[in-house]
Amino acid sequence: MYISNGFVCGGEPQERIQIVSVKPLDDMMMLIEFNNGETRLFDATCLDGSAFAPLREDSIFNNPAVEHGIVTWNNGQIDCAPEYMYERSFEYSDGVYA
């Protein structure tokens, strides 16, 4: 057990997942390196809704930045939670994804 932000939690504390680097690929795919050492393949077409509509433009999608462990686009106007990206990505090793 441990205390986090004033709450008692069961189990062991988990390190917060963060993004270390990101590389945009064709067809709105991305290679993302996480702080746990994993590189994963993320299909950004799952990001729907009006907030993510600008990502359909190559000039925006192909220019991501990593700010404080989070992928952002369009000068920080668009971002996505690293937990979401991790959960919806696929294992990727030596050019092969599972």
Side-chain angles (χ1 to χ4, degrees):
M1 295 181 101
Y2 64 99
I3 297 175
S4 176
N5 296 324
F7 293 96
V8 175
C9 302
E12 296 297 319
Q14 302 265 328
E15 182 178 352
R16 193 178 125 214
I17 194 83
Q18 292 186 331
I19 294 170
V20 175
S21 67
V22 61
K23 178 181 178 184
L25 306 171
D26 293 336
D27 299 322
M28 293 191 68
M29 300 295 283
M30 309 175 85
L31 279 180
I32 302 174
E33 181 184 354
F34 292 89
N35 64 335
N36 63 2
E38 289 184 58
T39 298
R40 297 177 66 88
L41 186 66
F42 178 73
D43 182 354
T45 60
C46 73
L47 301 175
D48 52 352
S50 60
F52 296 108
L55 296 180
R56 302 290 186 249
E57 295 179 36
D58 286 341
S59 62
I60 294 175
F61 179 77
N62 289 326
N63 289 295
V66 177
E67 298 179 17
H68 308 289
I70 300 170
V71 175
T72 68
W73 294 268
N74 210 17
N75 296 317
Q77 294 180 10
I78 304 168
D79 64 31
C80 186
E83 297 85 0
Y84 181 89
M85 296 179 100
Y86 184 84
E87 291 169 5
R88 286 165 181 78
S89 61
F90 303 92
E91 292 181 28
Y92 184 88
S93 176
D94 297 325
V96 178
Y97 65 93

